[in-house]
Amino acid sequence: MRHKILILLLMFSTPLFAQEYSNKDVISMASEGAPNNVTDEAAIMKFENDDFHIIRKGKNNFTCMVISDPQGRHEPSCFNEEAMRSVFPTYKYQMEMLHKGKSHDQVNSLIELEFKKGNLPTAEHGALVYMMSPNNRWFNPTTKTLEPTPIHQMYYYPKLSNKTFSLSSKNVFMWQGYPHLTALIVVVPGSAP
């Protein structure tokens, strides 16, 4: 009886992000990140043991994965070549730090420091990240809640002023989420949560 209680305690004390997914499950989830004509031949990466590993080689210039954090963030994402070289290193570093127990504020400060030291690049021209899954959700560190995210695409730039674009649409807006990157987010009409 004592062993059964211990096993139950271990099962229910394991954080959700520690759940192991099979490669087949990861490929299925990551493939929600973009249209089939992109994902069918994209490389697929899995985050495991604090790092990303390729679990399926690709035949086009896209790499898909699930961006996550210990608080339940779940964003199937597909990066083109330019985004893999210049934007992915920041996502990867952010995930590593969050999974090591750093707070969101600490991670943002560390990202800024790593960029200033030359360890993280800024966005290349043409850097694109698809986040087209209807199951997108992100952790809002201000409200401490998981929130659904609309189906969208992110076009990355080096850090820009908020006045760079004159945007008047709720479907297109600037995101300044990282200290050294700006993204123009294009939301698929009708997909807002």
mmCIF file of all heavy atoms in Angstrom, residues 49-85:
data_model
loop_
_atom_site.group_PDB
_atom_site.id
_atom_site.type_symbol
_atom_site.label_atom_id
_atom_site.label_comp_id
_atom_site.label_asym_id
_atom_site.label_seq_id
_atom_site.Cartn_x
_atom_site.Cartn_y
_atom_site.Cartn_z
ATOM 1 N N ASN A 49 15.549 16.805 -22.833
ATOM 2 C CA ASN A 49 16.805 16.957 -22.087
ATOM 3 C C ASN A 49 17.408 18.347 -22.279
ATOM 4 O O ASN A 49 18.597 18.512 -22.526
ATOM 5 C CB ASN A 49 17.821 15.878 -22.483
ATOM 6 C CG ASN A 49 17.302 14.480 -22.224
ATOM 7 O OD1 ASN A 49 16.639 14.243 -21.215
ATOM 8 N ND2 ASN A 49 17.573 13.570 -23.137
ATOM 9 N N ASP A 50 16.544 19.369 -22.176
ATOM 10 C CA ASP A 50 16.956 20.777 -22.246
ATOM 11 C C ASP A 50 17.578 21.193 -23.579
ATOM 12 O O ASP A 50 18.350 22.145 -23.636
ATOM 13 C CB ASP A 50 17.911 21.131 -21.100
ATOM 14 C CG ASP A 50 17.232 21.062 -19.745
ATOM 15 O OD1 ASP A 50 16.021 21.345 -19.677
ATOM 16 O OD2 ASP A 50 17.905 20.718 -18.761
ATOM 17 N N ASP A 51 17.239 20.498 -24.658
ATOM 18 C CA ASP A 51 17.776 20.884 -25.961
ATOM 19 C C ASP A 51 16.861 20.353 -27.064
ATOM 20 O O ASP A 51 16.052 19.460 -26.841
ATOM 21 C CB ASP A 51 19.189 20.322 -26.145
ATOM 22 C CG ASP A 51 19.984 21.079 -27.206
ATOM 23 O OD1 ASP A 51 19.440 22.020 -27.817
ATOM 24 O OD2 ASP A 51 21.154 20.723 -27.419
ATOM 25 N N PHE A 52 16.989 20.928 -28.246
ATOM 26 C CA PHE A 52 16.232 20.460 -29.409
ATOM 27 C C PHE A 52 17.053 19.438 -30.186
ATOM 28 O O PHE A 52 18.267 19.596 -30.337
ATOM 29 C CB PHE A 52 15.902 21.633 -30.333
ATOM 30 C CG PHE A 52 14.712 22.429 -29.898
ATOM 31 C CD1 PHE A 52 14.872 23.582 -29.160
ATOM 32 C CD2 PHE A 52 13.427 22.022 -30.230
ATOM 33 C CE1 PHE A 52 13.781 24.329 -28.753
ATOM 34 C CE2 PHE A 52 12.328 22.760 -29.829
ATOM 35 C CZ PHE A 52 12.503 23.917 -29.088
ATOM 36 N N HIS A 53 16.369 18.398 -30.670
ATOM 37 C CA HIS A 53 17.000 17.344 -31.463
ATOM 38 C C HIS A 53 16.143 17.095 -32.695
ATOM 39 O O HIS A 53 14.918 17.049 -32.608
ATOM 40 C CB HIS A 53 17.108 16.043 -30.656
ATOM 41 C CG HIS A 53 17.764 16.237 -29.321
ATOM 42 N ND1 HIS A 53 19.127 16.255 -29.157
ATOM 43 C CD2 HIS A 53 17.237 16.436 -28.085
ATOM 44 C CE1 HIS A 53 19.418 16.449 -27.886
ATOM 45 N NE2 HIS A 53 18.295 16.572 -27.211
ATOM 46 N N ILE A 54 16.789 16.904 -33.835
ATOM 47 C CA ILE A 54 16.049 16.590 -35.060
ATOM 48 C C ILE A 54 15.563 15.149 -34.979
ATOM 49 O O ILE A 54 16.337 14.231 -34.718
ATOM 50 C CB ILE A 54 16.926 16.789 -36.304
ATOM 51 C CG1 ILE A 54 17.198 18.279 -36.494
ATOM 52 C CG2 ILE A 54 16.269 16.193 -37.548
ATOM 53 C CD1 ILE A 54 17.934 18.656 -37.737
ATOM 54 N N ILE A 55 14.249 14.973 -35.163
ATOM 55 C CA ILE A 55 13.689 13.618 -35.156
ATOM 56 C C ILE A 55 13.193 13.212 -36.543
ATOM 57 O O ILE A 55 12.875 12.051 -36.767
ATOM 58 C CB ILE A 55 12.560 13.457 -34.107
ATOM 59 C CG1 ILE A 55 11.418 14.465 -34.335
ATOM 60 C CG2 ILE A 55 13.132 13.579 -32.698
ATOM 61 C CD1 ILE A 55 10.200 14.238 -33.457
ATOM 62 N N ARG A 56 13.111 14.193 -37.459
ATOM 63 C CA ARG A 56 12.797 13.883 -38.853
ATOM 64 C C ARG A 56 13.526 14.880 -39.738
ATOM 65 O O ARG A 56 13.402 16.088 -39.555
ATOM 66 C CB ARG A 56 11.282 13.979 -39.108
ATOM 67 C CG ARG A 56 10.906 13.514 -40.519
ATOM 68 C CD ARG A 56 9.436 13.642 -40.800
ATOM 69 N NE ARG A 56 9.107 15.010 -41.206
ATOM 70 C CZ ARG A 56 7.860 15.450 -41.419
ATOM 71 N NH1 ARG A 56 6.826 14.645 -41.226
ATOM 72 N NH2 ARG A 56 7.643 16.695 -41.783
ATOM 73 N N LYS A 57 14.298 14.369 -40.686
ATOM 74 C CA LYS A 57 14.999 15.245 -41.622
ATOM 75 C C LYS A 57 14.009 15.830 -42.604
ATOM 76 O O LYS A 57 13.020 15.196 -42.964
ATOM 77 C CB LYS A 57 16.085 14.465 -42.356
ATOM 78 C CG LYS A 57 17.233 14.064 -41.457
ATOM 79 C CD LYS A 57 18.328 13.377 -42.233
ATOM 80 C CE LYS A 57 19.477 13.040 -41.293
ATOM 81 N NZ LYS A 57 20.569 12.356 -41.982
ATOM 82 N N GLY A 58 14.307 17.037 -43.059
ATOM 83 C CA GLY A 58 13.411 17.726 -43.972
ATOM 84 C C GLY A 58 13.909 17.736 -45.396
ATOM 85 O O GLY A 58 15.074 17.453 -45.667
ATOM 86 N N LYS A 59 12.977 18.085 -46.303
ATOM 87 C CA LYS A 59 13.311 18.189 -47.719
ATOM 88 C C LYS A 59 13.040 19.587 -48.254
ATOM 89 O O LYS A 59 13.176 19.830 -49.440
ATOM 90 C CB LYS A 59 12.493 17.166 -48.518
ATOM 91 C CG LYS A 59 12.793 15.727 -48.146
ATOM 92 C CD LYS A 59 11.901 14.782 -48.924
ATOM 93 C CE LYS A 59 12.130 13.345 -48.478
ATOM 94 N NZ LYS A 59 11.147 12.434 -49.067
ATOM 95 N N ASN A 60 12.605 20.507 -47.380
ATOM 96 C CA ASN A 60 12.415 21.894 -47.804
ATOM 97 C C ASN A 60 13.178 22.790 -46.830
ATOM 98 O O ASN A 60 13.967 22.295 -46.018
ATOM 99 C CB ASN A 60 10.917 22.255 -47.899
ATOM 100 C CG ASN A 60 10.183 22.135 -46.571
ATOM 101 O OD1 ASN A 60 10.795 22.122 -45.497
ATOM 102 N ND2 ASN A 60 8.863 22.054 -46.620
ATOM 103 N N ASN A 61 12.941 24.077 -46.858
ATOM 104 C CA ASN A 61 13.728 24.971 -46.003
ATOM 105 C C ASN A 61 13.022 25.347 -44.707
ATOM 106 O O ASN A 61 13.318 26.382 -44.111
ATOM 107 C CB ASN A 61 14.128 26.241 -46.785
ATOM 108 C CG ASN A 61 12.953 27.155 -47.062
ATOM 109 O OD1 ASN A 61 11.806 26.721 -47.091
ATOM 110 N ND2 ASN A 61 13.217 28.432 -47.276
ATOM 111 N N PHE A 62 12.094 24.495 -44.232
ATOM 112 C CA PHE A 62 11.389 24.761 -42.981
ATOM 113 C C PHE A 62 11.735 23.723 -41.918
ATOM 114 O O PHE A 62 11.997 22.560 -42.226
ATOM 115 C CB PHE A 62 9.873 24.766 -43.202
ATOM 116 C CG PHE A 62 9.367 26.039 -43.808
ATOM 117 C CD1 PHE A 62 9.308 26.189 -45.183
ATOM 118 C CD2 PHE A 62 8.968 27.095 -43.003
ATOM 119 C CE1 PHE A 62 8.860 27.370 -45.754
ATOM 120 C CE2 PHE A 62 8.519 28.277 -43.562
ATOM 121 C CZ PHE A 62 8.463 28.414 -44.941
ATOM 122 N N THR A 63 11.712 24.179 -40.666
ATOM 123 C CA THR A 63 11.895 23.301 -39.508
ATOM 124 C C THR A 63 10.759 23.596 -38.541
ATOM 125 O O THR A 63 10.527 24.749 -38.167
ATOM 126 C CB THR A 63 13.250 23.553 -38.813
ATOM 127 O OG1 THR A 63 14.295 23.373 -39.773
ATOM 128 C CG2 THR A 63 13.455 22.603 -37.652
ATOM 129 N N CYS A 64 10.052 22.541 -38.134
ATOM 130 C CA CYS A 64 8.899 22.692 -37.257
ATOM 131 C C CYS A 64 9.176 22.056 -35.893
ATOM 132 O O CYS A 64 9.927 21.090 -35.795
ATOM 133 C CB CYS A 64 7.661 22.050 -37.877
ATOM 134 S SG CYS A 64 7.212 22.726 -39.490
ATOM 135 N N MET A 65 8.544 22.608 -34.871
ATOM 136 C CA MET A 65 8.717 22.137 -33.487
ATOM 137 C C MET A 65 7.569 22.690 -32.658
ATOM 138 O O MET A 65 6.784 23.494 -33.143
ATOM 139 C CB MET A 65 10.043 22.643 -32.924
ATOM 140 C CG MET A 65 10.072 24.145 -32.744
ATOM 141 S SD MET A 65 11.692 24.879 -32.830
ATOM 142 C CE MET A 65 12.121 24.667 -34.540
ATOM 143 N N VAL A 66 7.498 22.252 -31.403
ATOM 144 C CA VAL A 66 6.525 22.818 -30.465
ATOM 145 C C VAL A 66 7.294 23.677 -29.473
ATOM 146 O O VAL A 66 8.167 23.180 -28.765
ATOM 147 C CB VAL A 66 5.716 21.722 -29.733
ATOM 148 C CG1 VAL A 66 4.758 22.358 -28.733
ATOM 149 C CG2 VAL A 66 4.953 20.852 -30.729
ATOM 150 N N ILE A 67 6.989 24.978 -29.451
ATOM 151 C CA ILE A 67 7.573 25.885 -28.474
ATOM 152 C C ILE A 67 6.742 25.738 -27.197
ATOM 153 O O ILE A 67 5.512 25.836 -27.234
ATOM 154 C CB ILE A 67 7.533 27.351 -28.972
ATOM 155 C CG1 ILE A 67 8.258 27.485 -30.316
ATOM 156 C CG2 ILE A 67 8.096 28.298 -27.933
ATOM 157 C CD1 ILE A 67 9.731 27.165 -30.281
ATOM 158 N N SER A 68 7.411 25.496 -26.063
ATOM 159 C CA SER A 68 6.681 25.251 -24.818
ATOM 160 C C SER A 68 7.417 25.876 -23.645
ATOM 161 O O SER A 68 8.550 26.333 -23.775
ATOM 162 C CB SER A 68 6.524 23.745 -24.590
ATOM 163 O OG SER A 68 7.796 23.160 -24.371
ATOM 164 N N ASP A 69 6.746 25.896 -22.505
ATOM 165 C CA ASP A 69 7.405 26.269 -21.255
ATOM 166 C C ASP A 69 6.740 25.503 -20.118
ATOM 167 O O ASP A 69 5.696 24.864 -20.316
ATOM 168 C CB ASP A 69 7.427 27.789 -21.039
ATOM 169 C CG ASP A 69 6.051 28.411 -20.831
ATOM 170 O OD1 ASP A 69 5.128 27.746 -20.313
ATOM 171 O OD2 ASP A 69 5.892 29.594 -21.158
ATOM 172 N N PRO A 70 7.316 25.530 -18.933
ATOM 173 C CA PRO A 70 6.769 24.744 -17.827
ATOM 174 C C PRO A 70 5.361 25.165 -17.402
ATOM 175 O O PRO A 70 4.671 24.408 -16.740
ATOM 176 C CB PRO A 70 7.764 24.993 -16.679
ATOM 177 C CG PRO A 70 9.028 25.360 -17.350
ATOM 178 C CD PRO A 70 8.621 26.106 -18.582
ATOM 179 N N GLN A 71 4.942 26.371 -17.784
ATOM 180 C CA GLN A 71 3.606 26.837 -17.399
ATOM 181 C C GLN A 71 2.519 26.401 -18.378
ATOM 182 O O GLN A 71 1.367 26.741 -18.216
ATOM 183 C CB GLN A 71 3.597 28.375 -17.281
ATOM 184 C CG GLN A 71 4.421 28.901 -16.131
ATOM 185 C CD GLN A 71 5.906 28.978 -16.453
ATOM 186 O OE1 GLN A 71 6.310 29.012 -17.618
ATOM 187 N NE2 GLN A 71 6.728 28.993 -15.437
ATOM 188 N N GLY A 72 2.873 25.663 -19.418
ATOM 189 C CA GLY A 72 1.872 25.115 -20.325
ATOM 190 C C GLY A 72 1.814 25.744 -21.702
ATOM 191 O O GLY A 72 0.941 25.395 -22.502
ATOM 192 N N ARG A 73 2.728 26.670 -22.004
ATOM 193 C CA ARG A 73 2.758 27.237 -23.354
ATOM 194 C C ARG A 73 2.855 26.107 -24.372
ATOM 195 O O ARG A 73 3.587 25.148 -24.183
ATOM 196 C CB ARG A 73 3.968 28.159 -23.493
ATOM 197 C CG ARG A 73 4.143 28.765 -24.862
ATOM 198 C CD ARG A 73 5.400 29.595 -24.880
ATOM 199 N NE ARG A 73 5.618 30.267 -26.145
ATOM 200 C CZ ARG A 73 6.707 30.968 -26.412
ATOM 201 N NH1 ARG A 73 7.661 31.076 -25.511
ATOM 202 N NH2 ARG A 73 6.848 31.546 -27.585
ATOM 203 N N HIS A 74 2.090 26.230 -25.443
ATOM 204 C CA HIS A 74 2.065 25.193 -26.487
ATOM 205 C C HIS A 74 1.857 25.909 -27.812
ATOM 206 O O HIS A 74 0.745 26.347 -28.123
ATOM 207 C CB HIS A 74 0.924 24.205 -26.218
ATOM 208 C CG HIS A 74 0.772 23.166 -27.280
ATOM 209 N ND1 HIS A 74 1.479 21.994 -27.280
ATOM 210 C CD2 HIS A 74 -0.013 23.136 -28.382
ATOM 211 C CE1 HIS A 74 1.135 21.271 -28.337
ATOM 212 N NE2 HIS A 74 0.238 21.940 -29.018
ATOM 213 N N GLU A 75 2.944 26.091 -28.579
ATOM 214 C CA GLU A 75 2.851 26.775 -29.850
ATOM 215 C C GLU A 75 3.586 25.998 -30.929
ATOM 216 O O GLU A 75 4.794 26.143 -31.096
ATOM 217 C CB GLU A 75 3.415 28.198 -29.742
ATOM 218 C CG GLU A 75 2.562 29.109 -28.881
ATOM 219 C CD GLU A 75 3.065 30.535 -28.847
ATOM 220 O OE1 GLU A 75 4.273 30.741 -28.654
ATOM 221 O OE2 GLU A 75 2.226 31.434 -29.016
ATOM 222 N N PRO A 76 2.862 25.131 -31.655
ATOM 223 C CA PRO A 76 3.476 24.488 -32.811
ATOM 224 C C PRO A 76 3.941 25.573 -33.778
ATOM 225 O O PRO A 76 3.175 26.476 -34.137
ATOM 226 C CB PRO A 76 2.336 23.655 -33.393
ATOM 227 C CG PRO A 76 1.432 23.391 -32.222
ATOM 228 C CD PRO A 76 1.489 24.652 -31.420
ATOM 229 N N SER A 77 5.213 25.510 -34.173
ATOM 230 C CA SER A 77 5.823 26.598 -34.946
ATOM 231 C C SER A 77 6.694 26.033 -36.054
ATOM 232 O O SER A 77 7.381 25.040 -35.858
ATOM 233 C CB SER A 77 6.697 27.454 -34.022
ATOM 234 O OG SER A 77 5.951 27.918 -32.916
ATOM 235 N N CYS A 78 6.689 26.718 -37.195
ATOM 236 C CA CYS A 78 7.542 26.328 -38.315
ATOM 237 C C CYS A 78 8.369 27.533 -38.743
ATOM 238 O O CYS A 78 7.823 28.583 -39.091
ATOM 239 C CB CYS A 78 6.700 25.807 -39.476
ATOM 240 S SG CYS A 78 5.851 24.255 -39.085
ATOM 241 N N PHE A 79 9.688 27.370 -38.707
ATOM 242 C CA PHE A 79 10.652 28.432 -39.001
ATOM 243 C C PHE A 79 11.247 28.209 -40.387
ATOM 244 O O PHE A 79 11.662 27.095 -40.704
ATOM 245 C CB PHE A 79 11.810 28.367 -38.000
ATOM 246 C CG PHE A 79 11.446 28.664 -36.567
ATOM 247 C CD1 PHE A 79 10.647 27.805 -35.825
ATOM 248 C CD2 PHE A 79 11.945 29.800 -35.942
ATOM 249 C CE1 PHE A 79 10.343 28.070 -34.503
ATOM 250 C CE2 PHE A 79 11.649 30.077 -34.619
ATOM 251 C CZ PHE A 79 10.847 29.213 -33.895
ATOM 252 N N ASN A 80 11.325 29.284 -41.186
ATOM 253 C CA ASN A 80 12.057 29.143 -42.440
ATOM 254 C C ASN A 80 13.555 29.225 -42.150
ATOM 255 O O ASN A 80 13.971 29.409 -41.002
ATOM 256 C CB ASN A 80 11.584 30.159 -43.490
ATOM 257 C CG ASN A 80 11.956 31.601 -43.171
ATOM 258 O OD1 ASN A 80 12.581 31.916 -42.161
ATOM 259 N ND2 ASN A 80 11.553 32.506 -44.048
ATOM 260 N N GLU A 81 14.389 29.063 -43.188
ATOM 261 C CA GLU A 81 15.853 29.034 -42.988
ATOM 262 C C GLU A 81 16.370 30.287 -42.291
ATOM 263 O O GLU A 81 17.199 30.213 -41.387
ATOM 264 C CB GLU A 81 16.574 28.896 -44.335
ATOM 265 C CG GLU A 81 16.608 27.498 -44.887
ATOM 266 C CD GLU A 81 17.360 27.455 -46.207
ATOM 267 O OE1 GLU A 81 16.833 27.968 -47.209
ATOM 268 O OE2 GLU A 81 18.482 26.910 -46.210
ATOM 269 N N GLU A 82 15.888 31.453 -42.748
ATOM 270 C CA GLU A 82 16.343 32.709 -42.160
ATOM 271 C C GLU A 82 15.971 32.793 -40.681
ATOM 272 O O GLU A 82 16.763 33.257 -39.850
ATOM 273 C CB GLU A 82 15.741 33.904 -42.923
ATOM 274 C CG GLU A 82 16.218 34.026 -44.360
ATOM 275 C CD GLU A 82 15.463 33.151 -45.361
ATOM 276 O OE1 GLU A 82 14.587 32.354 -44.942
ATOM 277 O OE2 GLU A 82 15.756 33.246 -46.561
ATOM 278 N N ALA A 83 14.772 32.337 -40.349
ATOM 279 C CA ALA A 83 14.335 32.359 -38.945
ATOM 280 C C ALA A 83 15.094 31.326 -38.113
ATOM 281 O O ALA A 83 15.400 31.578 -36.938
ATOM 282 C CB ALA A 83 12.830 32.115 -38.862
ATOM 283 N N MET A 84 15.421 30.189 -38.704
ATOM 284 C CA MET A 84 16.204 29.191 -37.953
ATOM 285 C C MET A 84 17.573 29.744 -37.578
ATOM 286 O O MET A 84 18.061 29.527 -36.474
ATOM 287 C CB MET A 84 16.364 27.893 -38.756
ATOM 288 C CG MET A 84 15.174 26.965 -38.681
ATOM 289 S SD MET A 84 14.712 26.465 -37.012
ATOM 290 C CE MET A 84 16.083 25.407 -36.546
ATOM 291 N N ARG A 85 18.187 30.474 -38.491
ATOM 292 C CA ARG A 85 19.519 31.028 -38.212
ATOM 293 C C ARG A 85 19.465 32.197 -37.238
ATOM 294 O O ARG A 85 20.345 32.353 -36.400
ATOM 295 C CB ARG A 85 20.173 31.510 -39.516
ATOM 296 C CG ARG A 85 20.692 30.411 -40.400
ATOM 297 C CD ARG A 85 21.569 30.962 -41.516
ATOM 298 N NE ARG A 85 20.883 31.928 -42.367
ATOM 299 C CZ ARG A 85 20.271 31.619 -43.509
ATOM 300 N NH1 ARG A 85 20.268 30.378 -43.952
ATOM 301 N NH2 ARG A 85 19.689 32.560 -44.225
#
